[in-house]
Amino acid sequence: MIIYFSGTGNTKWAASVLSERTGEKLINITDMPGTEISYKLEAGERLGFCFPVHGWRPPLIVRNFIKKLSVINAEGHYCYVVCTTGDNVGETIDIFEKDLKRIGVHLDSSFSLIMPESYVGLPFMDVDTPKKEKQKKEKAAEDLEHFADMIIERKKGIKELIVGRWPKINSRIIGSFFVKYLITDKPFHVTEDLCIKCGKCAKACPVDNIIWSKDSMPKWKHNGSCLSCFACYHHCPKHAIEYGSRTRNKGQYFFDKNEEL
């Protein structure tokens, strides 16, 4: 079983590759509504988690999912996590491991996969250049094959992570600021003369936070569900969506699984 969350597609690609290599089913967190979720693992089944790093932490949707998750027979089953990031993970895995311990799940191995950058919500952050994007994808494909080999062999105690130079500062201080002030849909707005009312932004939103109907412009719900993953921004074919003034003149990115690596 591979439980995953993906915003702009990087993690969905990684989880899909692992599913093909291990033969284990994929479960998308956004398809799992409800207050309590219970799973019973089959004999020999691995338990995998895949998610992107948000503000040097696991995404809130992942942490909230773990709180309501019950794995009936987790003991003795191999458990691993693969997190995707544009740079480094800070203390993301430490935080996630503590979340798992609270529900009685032991994490055996952890991996971080460098992927093209998609977070554009701060003035100094933008997507990668096409050249760097290509290089990251090629390297990620190689690394993921290596990770898959270890996962198939159920290697324990593996921590192939790029934590960065200041993991505590990034995850605790900046990460706290990120959660408190930057996870919000309030700055999102549409440039009306560019919007073609196609609804691609609404379809791309992983938490169904955008109201759209045919021939209408999108509107955000402002109900606290937004993850600031920027899937709506990146999927707009006319670059009509902005996040305050912070995304002005910035690039767009989402993973195209049909694209050749």
Side-chain angles (χ1 to χ4, degrees):
M1 178 187 303
I2 300 172
I3 299 171
Y4 79 95
F5 164 73
S6 185
T8 52
N10 284 336
T11 307
K12 183 178 180 180
W13 166 75
S16 298
V17 170
L18 290 175
S19 176
E20 290 174 6
R21 286 290 312 275
T22 61
E24 289 171 349
K25 62 184 176 183
L26 284 174
I27 296 175
N28 187 346
I29 284 177
T30 61
D31 293 335
M32 296 289 112
T35 55
E36 294 184 6
I37 300 168
S38 179
Y39 291 117
K40 183 176 181 180
L41 298 171
E42 302 294 333
E45 187 176 7
R46 304 171 191 84
L47 177 60
F49 295 92
C50 298
F51 55 81
V53 173
H54 284 186
W56 292 280
R57 296 181 175 195
L60 286 178
I61 191 173
V62 174
R63 301 196 71 187
N64 289 333
F65 176 86
I66 296 300
K67 288 178 183 177
K68 59 186 180 182
L69 174 65
S70 172
V71 182
I72 297 171
N73 56 340
E75 189 174 350
H77 287 265
Y78 181 75
C79 178
Y80 67 91
V81 59
V82 175
C83 58
T84 60
T85 177
D87 190 0
N88 60 72
V89 303
E91 294 186 322
T92 296
I93 299 302
D94 295 332
I95 295 168
F96 186 67
E97 188 170 13
K98 289 176 182 176
D99 288 345
L100 287 181
K101 282 182 179 178
R102 292 188 184 100
I103 63 166
V105 175
H106 172 73
L107 183 64
D108 291 303
S109 290
S110 51
F111 310 88
S112 65
L113 191 66
I114 301 297
M115 294 291 291
E117 185 63 71
S118 63
Y119 187 74
V120 290
L122 288 171
F124 54 88
M125 301 188 78
D126 200 350
V127 300
D128 295 316
T129 63
K131 181 180 179 180
K132 190 171 183 180
E133 178 187 318
K134 185 174 184 294
Q135 289 173 340
K136 281 187 173 183
K137 284 185 174 180
E138 290 173 347
K139 181 67 164 55
E142 295 176 3
D143 289 344
L144 191 56
E145 286 298 310
H146 172 57
F147 297 164
D149 288 340
M150 288 188 282
I151 289 167
I152 290 170
E153 294 173 13
R154 304 173 195 266
K155 292 286 183 81
K156 295 184 178 182
I158 306 297
K159 289 189 176 182
E160 294 217 6
L161 304 169
I162 299 176
V163 300
R165 294 179 63 186
W166 305 288
K168 291 182 180 180
I169 292 174
N170 288 337
S171 292
R172 300 182 191 186
I173 299 175
I174 301 177
S176 178
F177 178 85
F178 181 86
V179 169
K180 190 171 183 179
Y181 297 107
L182 299 180
I183 300 181
T184 174
D185 60 5
K186 291 181 180 179
F188 281 115
H189 64 276
V190 177
T191 304
E192 295 187 13
D193 59 346
L194 293 179
C195 180
I196 58 174
K197 304 174 183 177
C198 64
K200 288 185 177 180
C201 55
K203 294 172 186 175
C205 178
V207 291
D208 191 29
N209 183 48
I210 298 176
I211 301 168
W212 174 83
S213 59
K214 189 176 180 181
D215 298 325
S216 70
M217 285 190 293
K219 293 181 180 179
W220 285 260
K221 294 180 179 179
H222 304 311
N223 63 2
S225 65
C226 181
L227 301 170
S228 295
C229 71
F230 287 86
C232 57
Y233 164 87
H234 289 295
H235 280 81
C236 178
K238 295 298 181 179
H239 212 313
I241 294 175
E242 298 287 2
Y243 192 73
S245 60
R246 284 173 261 178
T247 50
R248 191 173 298 157
N249 300 320
K250 290 187 178 181
Q252 293 172 293
Y253 167 82
F254 65 89
F255 191 95
D256 182 358
K257 67 177 182 180
N258 297 316
E259 161 182 16
E260 231 179 78
L261 287 177

